[in-house]
Amino acid sequence: MDFDDTPDEAAYRARVRDLLAEHAADLVHLDAGEEAADARQQEQALRRTQRVLADAGLVGVAWAAEHGGQAGTLAQQAIVGQELARARVPSLINHIGLGMCGPTVVAHGTPEQHERYLARLLRADDVWCQLFSEPASGSDLAALRTTAVRDGEDWVVNGQKVWTTLAHVADFGVLLTRTDPDRPKHGGLTMFVVDMHAPGVTVRPLRQMGGQSDFNEVFFDDVRIPDSERLGEPGEGWRVALTTLLNERVAVGGGGNDLGLSVESLARLAREAVPALPAERQVLARQAVGRAAVAALANRYTGYRRLTAISQGGLPGPEASAGKLAGTAAAKLVSDAGVRLLGDDAVFAVGPGDDGREGGAGRWQRNQAWLPGIAIAGGTDEVLRNIIGERVLGLPPEPREDKHRPFNAAGSTR
């Protein structure tokens, strides 16, 4: 593919820049000074930012018009992402809903669910989360133990989820449960849309080493979910979950995105920091920046090729696992090089106004602390390598003694 903008794409990019300039006063920016002291105020500001962008036609660009989108191309969606980064607008608060939950509802939801949820999701009137991992079933997701038992027109849910991004601000989530323990572990699962404000739902934020609480543990105690909120047929939850997971791997690095600070940010920092280093360290610094730049740009352009294939009618496939694996590795190289270039300043929260330090307030340091979690999200590196080996390269699968046993049989779970 040609990585330069076509004339139509260049015109679209100019239009996006004009729209961002027109609405700049209503958007949150990374370099706007101190973050809101009150977490609720910050949340509302981020919701407002996504609402303004949605009303301007810059959210859901590649979504079908019938689902509230702009019926645009994935190339246009990538352009919007690039221009948002250029304008220093932070990640959209509903990125989980846009990248994972929304596509799942589109693919497996009923027309009533489409009408009820999708437009509000695009505008961040409702923020979404993905309720998959559990204390004993993360990499082995199909071994989950959260149960949903049919009771008339409702399902009663009990169990626990963990590492759930944005659960503390979410209004709805996609919830994977076990509904038939007599079937093999992949066959007895069912997916639902759950109201995160329903009685019996308890969310407890988890403090991360960077000081933030993006992840949460979520408890379900006799939570009633109407059958009308089911996604797909009972027992078909694994097929529905694969839609979420494949879209997640495209969203988390598999689409060529930079996962935080871009290689251009690193180049700006290097132009300031490298000349100030002793001569012998300048060589090492340039090598580190070069390795990071090569990895990041290779992942970015490979991601564009993947988006092109999807835009021509393809579906997100196991190849996205390779993109996610490469994306997290490249992001780590960029972030580590940036923190090292800060030198002694790396132990401080560098203030706004230092252009080379890209927004200040310890942004490089926070990004470095955040990346280990992203390396786990959407599948650990080990799981992704298994997927690539088995489903892309055609290598023999590893033995799975419990794959065909009933879930409740002795020894069926690890």
Side-chain angles (χ1 to χ4, degrees):
M1 65 175 290
D2 185 352
F3 296 118
D4 294 326
D5 287 346
T6 66
D8 285 344
E9 289 167 352
Y12 182 77
R13 187 182 297 276
R15 178 170 169 267
V16 171
R17 287 188 184 181
D18 289 343
L19 285 169
L20 291 176
E22 177 184 343
H23 297 286
D26 298 318
L27 305 175
V28 173
H29 294 85
L30 291 172
D31 53 359
E34 293 296 325
E35 296 182 355
D38 182 80
R40 182 64 176 170
Q41 285 182 343
Q42 184 73 358
E43 176 196 335
Q44 292 304 315
L46 290 171
R47 285 183 185 248
R48 184 186 69 247
T49 288
Q50 183 167 330
R51 193 171 303 121
V52 170
L53 293 171
D55 292 343
L58 300 180
V59 178
V61 173
W63 284 35
E66 63 187 284
H67 301 315
Q70 304 301 312
T73 67
L74 286 170
Q76 290 176 331
Q77 181 172 291
I79 287 170
V80 170
Q82 292 164 5
E83 293 304 314
L84 288 173
R86 180 179 178 274
R88 304 195 46 71
V89 176
S91 298
L92 300 183
I93 188 172
N94 211 12
H95 60 275
I96 301 292
L98 292 166
M100 304 161 209
C101 304
T104 304
V105 174
V106 167
H108 300 283
T110 63
E112 292 77 16
Q113 288 171 325
H114 292 168
E115 183 177 358
R116 184 158 63 246
Y117 294 125
L118 295 178
R120 291 181 59 85
L121 183 155
L122 288 169
R123 300 183 76 251
D125 294 330
D126 298 324
V127 172
W128 286 62
C129 65
Q130 172 188 326
L131 297 145
F132 278 20
S133 293
E134 299 184 4
S137 55
S139 296
D140 188 13
L141 177 61
L144 63 85
R145 296 178 176 275
T146 294
T147 61
V149 178
R150 188 71 181 260
D151 182 18
E153 291 303 309
D154 293 342
W155 295 79
V156 181
V157 177
N158 284 279
Q160 178 187 357
K161 300 292 180 176
V162 74
W163 310 121
T164 306
T165 304
L166 293 179
H168 60 300
V169 299
D171 303 290
F172 293 97
V174 290
L175 171 66
L176 191 59
T177 67
R178 184 164 305 282
T179 51
D180 189 350
D182 294 323
R183 294 181 63 186
K185 63 181 183 180
H186 291 84
L189 306 176
T190 304
M191 184 91 93
F192 298 93
V193 173
V194 61
D195 181 351
M196 294 298 290
H197 306 296
V201 178
T202 303
V203 178
R204 295 179 183 171
L206 297 167
R207 181 70 65 179
Q208 296 157 244
M209 65 180 177
Q212 72 275 36
S213 295
D214 298 326
F215 302 136
N216 305 266
E217 51 185 351
V218 184
F219 299 88
F220 298 91
D221 297 296
D222 292 330
V223 177
R224 302 189 75 88
I225 301 178
D227 185 59
S228 59
E229 298 292 10
R230 178 168 35 84
L231 291 172
E233 296 301 316
E236 294 297 317
W238 186 251
R239 183 172 67 89
V240 180
L242 286 178
T243 300
T244 313
L245 291 170
L246 291 173
N247 279 282
E248 180 179 29
R249 286 163 191 161
V250 171
V252 185
N257 49 314
D258 292 311
L259 294 179
L261 292 158
S262 67
V263 66
E264 289 82 6
S265 302
L266 179 62
R268 285 192 291 270
L269 176 58
R271 280 195 294 270
E272 173 192 316
V274 172
L277 296 174
E280 64 276 10
R281 291 183 58 196
Q282 290 187 24
V283 175
L284 297 175
R286 289 192 175 95
Q287 289 175 346
V289 172
R291 282 193 296 270
V294 168
L297 293 175
N299 180 66
R300 181 185 298 180
Y301 293 135
T302 303
Y304 292 169
R305 185 172 61 186
R306 192 172 299 110
L307 293 178
T308 298
I310 295 172
S311 69
Q312 294 173 347
L315 296 173
E319 296 83 1
S321 297
K324 196 268 181 179
L325 187 64
T328 52
K332 185 175 186 298
L333 287 174
V334 170
S335 186
D336 286 353
V339 170
R340 289 173 63 192
L341 285 172
L342 288 176
D344 292 342
D345 285 344
V347 300
F348 302 105
V350 181
D354 293 330
D355 295 337
R357 285 158 172 75
E358 199 63 20
R363 183 149 174 77
W364 285 99
Q365 298 93 315
R366 288 204 306 273
N367 200 64
Q368 187 185 49
W370 169 75
L371 281 171
I374 295 303
I376 296 171
T380 65
D381 289 355
E382 292 78 9
V383 167
L384 296 181
R385 290 190 179 98
N386 276 351
I387 291 171
I388 294 166
E390 295 175 14
R391 302 181 195 174
V392 179
L393 301 179
L395 300 177
E398 66 175 11
R400 296 181 177 90
E401 296 180 1
D402 61 344
K403 186 172 182 179
H404 303 291
R405 296 180 184 176
F407 182 77
N408 57 6
S412 64
T413 59
R414 298 175 185 175

